[in-house]
Amino acid sequence: LTVWDLTNADSPGTKFQASAIGTPFGTTMSWIGGERVMAEGFAGSQVLFSLKHNMSLWSYRFDMDAVRENSSGRRVREIIDQHLVYAATVESGGQRGLAVGAVKLPGPKVDEADAAFDPESLVIIKPGAAVKLDVNAGEHTERIRTALTGKIQSNGWVLSDSAPNVLTATMGQAEQRTITYHRRGLGGQSAGEESVTVSPFYSTLILKVGDKQAWYGGTSTGPPPVIFLREGQTAQGEVDKWQHPNPGFFDNVTIPAKIMDPGKRGGLGSTEVTNRGLIPN
């Protein structure tokens, strides 16, 4: 997560390791005060991320009465001026209706929990920790081992072949599959189809503490959703330009020196959003 100060044209942006709210898809984020961000999570949930602690602070889940987004484009939940405004159904005496809630965020217990906890208590890997490095990348193995050894040392971790904490780097190629492009001619008219075969290359980096995955980084190649062809070019030829291994990922990846307990990815607690307001668990 990168935050820019728009009042300063020269601001380089401040980066935060926010993997707990990371997603490969577009998501909505809203400011909750000056140092907290609310992000859309899995299945419509919300996660409150603390810039001060660089971690997820609290999670929010909508109960069965909360109205969900649908294809009609209705706005059924919104964050406005640190208030969550949302629609929920209500039932009374056999009659069913619709209510609109407007509740102040972050809600009960959150500020108290934030003030009372020690962020270091959630850290399971930090400078001084012993880490084993395992690299499986074919011809690129030694290059990647050298790059990651430098990052481990920069983090203040200690390389040890007997450590229970294992950082595993892997490069490979996925199974071949076929995709089909639909040709468009002048004016957008259909001009047939062309199928291509792809075998994406992937680079992954996983840190495990015992049998638990504590941190993950990765990338993969893939065909673009749209390609433009000149005379004499083929779809397969253009797609092949995207199919190549990426050992440079390991040179550029940022591994945080402190790794939080993955069991706390959702934060210190959770709140249920209901037609009766915010109910902390």
Side-chain angles (χ1 to χ4, degrees), residues 7 17 33 48 74 110 119 127 136 145 157 175 189 201 209 214-215 228-229 238 246 250 262-263 271:
T7 66
Q17 286 291 336
L48 185 65
R74 293 186 303 165
V110 180
N136 180 16
R145 184 182 301 278
W157 300 347
E175 292 184 3
Q189 296 180 344
F201 288 86
V209 177
W215 183 85
F228 297 91
L229 302 179
E238 291 304 298
N246 182 19
F250 300 97
T271 288

Side-chain angles (χ1 to χ4, degrees), residues 27-28 38-48 59-62 68 77 271:
T27 189
T28 300
M38 187 77 84
E40 288 277 356
F42 177 73
S45 63
Q46 306 264 358
V47 179
L48 185 65
S59 61
Y60 300 78
R61 298 190 181 278
F62 293 82
R68 294 185 176 274
R77 60 186 64 160
T271 288

Side-chain angles (χ1 to χ4, degrees), residues 15-250:
K15 293 186 178 182
F16 301 86
Q17 286 291 336
S19 58
I21 60 172
T23 167
F25 308 104
T27 189
T28 300
M29 294 190 290
S30 304
W31 285 103
I32 308 297
E35 60 181 32
R36 294 171 178 171
V37 175
M38 187 77 84
E40 288 277 356
F42 177 73
S45 63
Q46 306 264 358
V47 179
L48 185 65
F49 184 82
S50 169
L51 303 184
K52 180 176 70 174
H53 299 311
N54 203 28
M55 62 169 285
S56 296
L57 191 62
W58 209 261
S59 61
Y60 300 78
R61 298 190 181 278
F62 293 82
D63 74 357
M64 295 297 293
D65 291 320
V67 179
R68 294 185 176 274
E69 302 279 0
N70 58 33
S71 58
S72 68
R74 293 186 303 165
R75 296 171 65 188
V76 295
R77 60 186 64 160
E78 192 79 40
I79 294 178
I80 305 172
D81 189 25
Q82 298 190 54
H83 285 73
L84 173 63
V85 182
Y86 63 100
T89 57
V90 291
E91 265 188 87
S92 178
Q95 293 186 326
R96 187 177 178 86
L98 186 68
V100 176
V103 292
K104 182 70 179 291
L105 294 170
K109 293 189 177 182
V110 180
D111 288 334
E112 294 87 342
D114 186 3
F117 102 104
D118 174 14
E120 291 295 320
S121 66
L122 300 184
V123 175
I124 57 175
I125 296 288
K126 57 185 177 182
V131 174
K132 177 182 178 180
L133 178 59
D134 185 11
V135 181
N136 180 16
E139 63 183 293
H140 303 286
T141 293
E142 289 309 311
R143 168 186 170 176
I144 293 171
R145 184 182 301 278
T146 299
L148 294 179
T149 296
K151 293 179 183 295
I152 288 172
Q153 293 171 344
S154 295
N155 279 356
W157 300 347
V158 179
L159 272 174
S160 171
D161 289 337
S162 59
N165 313 309
V166 182
L167 181 64
T168 302
T170 306
M171 284 184 63
Q173 191 172 14
E175 292 184 3
Q176 188 178 87
R177 59 190 177 93
T178 301
I179 62 172
T180 301
Y181 285 98
H182 298 273
R183 287 183 174 271
R184 296 291 178 185
L186 294 176
Q189 296 180 344
S190 176
E193 298 179 343
E194 186 171 348
S195 295
V196 300
T197 57
V198 295
S199 301
F201 288 86
Y202 60 86
S203 303
T204 61
L205 191 57
I206 299 174
L207 177 63
K208 282 191 173 183
V209 177
D211 60 352
K212 293 195 302 183
Q213 180 175 305
W215 183 85
Y216 169 86
T219 185
S220 67
T221 63
V226 177
I227 56 177
F228 297 91
L229 302 179
R230 298 179 183 272
E231 187 175 354
Q233 292 180 326
T234 65
Q236 184 68 60
E238 291 304 298
V239 166
D240 286 345
K241 294 178 181 179
W242 295 77
Q243 304 301 305
H244 53 81
N246 182 19
F249 162 77
F250 300 97

